Amino acid sequence: MKTLTVGAVMAAATLLTGQDAPTGAVEGTVINPVTGAGIAGARVVFSSGPRSQFESTSDATGHFRIAGMAPGTYRPSAEKDGFASPPPLDLNPLNSLLVSGVRVAAGPDPLKLDLKLIPLNTVAGRVFGPDGKPLAGAEVSLNPNITADMAITDKEGRFRLDEIRPSSYKLIAKPPAGAVPVEARDGTRTAIVPTYYPSAADPSQAQPILLQGQTAPEYDIQMQSAVVHRVRGIVVREEGKPAPDVELTLFRMPEGVPGAMALGRRFGGPASFAIGLRPEPRGVVELTVTTRYDGHFEFPAVPGGDWRINAESDRMRGAASVSLGRDDVEDLRIQIAAPFNLTGTIEGDADGKPLLSPITLVNAEVNEFARGGFAESGRLLFENISPGNYKALPGPGWSAQIFLGQYEATGQTFSLSAGSPPIRVVLKAWSGSVRGTVEKGEGTTVVLIPQSYDGIAVGQTVACGPGGSFEMNSVSPGDYYIAAFDRMDGISPSAAMLSLMPSRGTSVRVEEGSAASVTLSVIPTPP
């Protein structure tokens, strides 16, 4: 009988089953894929629900067997201290069994099933200062930092992080606590800045480290120094009162033109995405400070560039963007408030039509995607909105009038808070279509973007069908670039793909109520 191999995940266990019902069995081995050896003492669980689970423990060779199982579909898992389930990069088609489960049938022949557990890693190395000497007191961590573990370097600059799950990480070293910038005669200040392995101040230039259970080499980090600036300000509540003890976290915003952000997909049809929006940063927190009793704060040493500051206290939150060039920022004001739900109505041509996201709210203060609204039977709901200034972006194929109470905010920036009146959106169908053929393009992806726009715009993608044919039926009138790419990694085009559109794409004009036709050639997707 063929033996299947799947990755292992965590699960809970306990089960009693009837003795007279027909039963099945499962057996196999818990394997260390790095060495190929069986793993003794691993807890093996087959679960079909919180009250329907079987378990066993692997023997000295890693073998396990579970009998007396009620026929049905089970999710297999294994666990042992010092080991973890394989990372996503190790998944193969058989690992879908972890989600869909395996079928155990009644009868004398057991289901053969091997499970994999990968040894946890140790990440160790040394940190050196900009002068090349070992740096004591530096804080070293991994991103994504799931367990929030970090190490402080000793007097020889050594660090060690134990029991790290297999995955791909960025290794970052932050300056020692209490490190003070050096001020030159001209007033410029220089300081050691957070540095990514092997020696990059910019996270986009970091070299990832890949952990797969094998013994990892030592990783040495050469810290960088840079001209830094002060960022000072105050955090206030909605009523304007200073907010003490608010945690502020500083994130570096990526340089260059941001990529696309997915907005939604019509069933079986094109997907829409936004251009020009920046996602809320969720990467490495470069610096953290807390507001004083009077609500004031200071980041004493921030390198030049574009930054996002998140403020959070209890259920209240706020944010601000900062662009640092040659000068310090002395009077930044951040308002925090509790998030809220915004209700509204949809009128006009959309009456009675189900819409996933007729408009998208964009936070105008930080130029970031807020969220789309959920619509049903003419009612509109935006959940968990942070107070602030917003713009409304209509979906493709629509024009929209936006009202807040009696005030019309179409095309304007408007303020939203918990006390805002309901939003009213009057939609009007305003669309043409684009159809055509991609030469030898079955399965390729067609991308459509406006030729010109003010800051933020909506584009669309669609997969080519048999013969390379495609069609987009809900396209707002205007001038566009359209191109076909051999593949698209993810659900939206990358910034590199978008950058090729003006030079490699085809120009097409879409007019209301008419169809434009194009013939395209496939463009290789840039790395």
Side-chain angles (χ1 to χ4, degrees):
M1 181 177 293
K2 184 177 179 180
T3 299
L4 302 178
T5 301
V6 301
V9 294
M10 303 287 289
T14 307
L15 170 79
L16 292 175
T17 185
Q19 298 180 351
D20 298 329
T23 62
V26 61
E27 69 174 324
T29 304
V30 182
I31 298 172
N32 179 343
V34 176
T35 63
I39 299 174
R43 178 170 172 254
V44 178
V45 178
F46 281 74
S47 171
S48 62
R51 302 183 65 181
S52 182
Q53 299 175 358
F54 293 84
E55 70 173 89
S56 180
T57 301
S58 61
D59 64 17
T61 65
H63 181 264
F64 67 89
R65 178 181 173 88
I66 301 176
M69 299 175 66
T73 299
Y74 294 85
R75 290 186 178 88
S77 67
E79 60 180 338
K80 184 180 179 179
D81 290 345
F83 291 84
S85 55
L89 53 90
D90 187 54
L91 296 181
N92 57 61
L94 290 178
N95 289 59
S96 63
L97 297 175
L98 292 175
V99 177
S100 60
V102 295
R103 182 72 182 174
V104 175
D109 295 330
L111 172 69
K112 301 280 189 176
L113 190 70
D114 290 343
L115 304 175
K116 292 193 296 183
L117 285 176
I118 294 181
L120 297 175
N121 281 95
T122 293
V123 177
R126 301 181 74 187
V127 175
F128 298 89
D131 58 2
K133 297 179 180 179
L135 184 64
E139 178 185 308
V140 183
S141 60
L142 293 165
N143 181 261
N145 197 348
I146 300 174
T147 61
D149 290 336
M150 63 93 171
I152 303 296
T153 56
D154 62 17
K155 63 182 180 180
E156 295 181 347
R158 296 190 179 278
F159 69 89
R160 179 185 176 98
L161 294 163
D162 292 314
E163 296 191 343
I164 305 301
R165 296 180 62 86
S167 189
S168 177
Y169 297 93
K170 290 181 179 180
L171 183 63
I172 180 173
K174 297 181 180 180
V180 178
V182 177
E183 186 166 345
R185 290 184 177 180
D186 62 0
T188 58
R189 300 162 65 246
T190 303
I192 301 175
V193 296
T195 304
Y196 298 81
Y197 171 80
S199 186
D202 187 337
S204 66
Q205 299 176 10
Q207 179 180 322
I209 62 173
L210 182 61
L211 305 180
Q212 294 181 288
Q214 297 94 337
T215 301
E218 288 207 342
Y219 300 96
D220 291 346
I221 301 176
Q222 177 79 48
M223 297 290 285
Q224 294 290 308
S225 62
V227 173
V228 295
H229 308 273
R230 295 183 181 92
V231 178
R232 293 168 169 161
I234 186 172
V235 178
V236 298
R237 302 179 187 273
E238 280 188 284
E239 64 274 17
K241 293 182 179 180
D245 299 321
V246 177
E247 183 179 77
L248 302 177
T249 51
L250 186 75
F251 296 85
R252 183 186 292 272
M253 299 300 293
E255 295 182 358
V257 178
M261 291 192 63
L263 296 179
R265 178 185 294 276
R266 291 187 295 278
F267 181 75
S272 59
F273 59 90
I275 309 169
L277 291 180
R278 293 190 180 277
E280 182 177 344
R282 300 183 183 276
V284 174
V285 175
E286 298 227 3
L287 295 169
T288 301
V289 299
T290 302
T291 58
R292 302 194 301 260
Y293 70 94
D294 58 0
H296 284 84
F297 67 88
E298 176 182 351
F299 288 100
V302 183
D306 294 329
W307 299 88
R308 157 74 178 257
I309 300 175
N310 284 349
E312 189 166 346
S313 176
D314 297 326
R315 291 191 63 252
M316 294 185 292
R317 65 191 188 202
S321 292
V322 176
S323 184
L324 296 176
R326 299 178 59 183
D327 300 322
D328 295 344
V329 174
E330 297 288 350
D331 55 358
L332 186 65
R333 182 183 176 92
I334 303 176
Q335 179 177 301
I336 60 171
F340 63 96
N341 292 343
L342 178 68
T343 60
T345 58
I346 304 174
E347 302 174 6
D349 290 350
D351 286 347
K353 297 180 180 179
L355 295 173
L356 176 62
S357 183
I359 63 170
T360 295
L361 291 181
V362 177
N363 189 318
E365 296 171 350
V366 288
N367 196 34
E368 291 175 1
F369 171 80
R371 60 188 67 248
F374 296 93
E376 183 177 0
S377 301
R379 306 298 297 176
L380 187 60
L381 173 64
F382 294 90
E383 296 181 310
N384 208 31
I385 297 293
S386 295
N389 295 319
Y390 288 85
K391 296 178 181 178
L393 193 66
W398 297 101
S399 66
Q401 285 182 283
I402 309 297
F403 296 88
L404 286 174
Q406 301 301 313
Y407 167 70
E408 182 172 359
T410 306
Q412 302 178 37
T413 298
F414 48 89
S415 178
L416 292 178
S417 66
S420 295
I423 189 170
R424 181 164 62 95
V425 180
V426 181
L427 288 178
K428 178 183 178 182
W430 188 55
S431 68
S433 61
V434 181
R435 62 183 62 142
T437 303
V438 179
E439 298 173 352
K440 300 179 181 179
E442 183 173 350
T444 59
T445 299
V446 174
V447 180
L448 181 80
I449 62 171
Q451 290 190 15
S452 62
Y453 53 92
D454 182 17
I456 301 170
V458 174
Q460 295 189 70
T461 66
V462 68
C464 290
S469 63
F470 69 90
E471 185 170 3
M472 298 179 181
N473 288 320
S474 297
V475 181
S476 300
D479 294 320
Y480 293 85
Y481 294 120
I482 188 169
F485 293 91
D486 58 358
R487 74 177 198 282
M488 189 170 72
D489 300 326
I491 58 177
S492 298
S494 65
M497 293 169 68
L498 296 177
S499 68
L500 291 180
M501 298 288 289
S503 60
R504 300 289 301 276
T506 299
S507 295
V508 60
R509 168 165 288 187
V510 178
E511 297 182 353
E512 185 177 6
S514 64
S517 297
V518 294
T519 300
L520 306 174
S521 299
V522 177
I523 299 173
T525 299

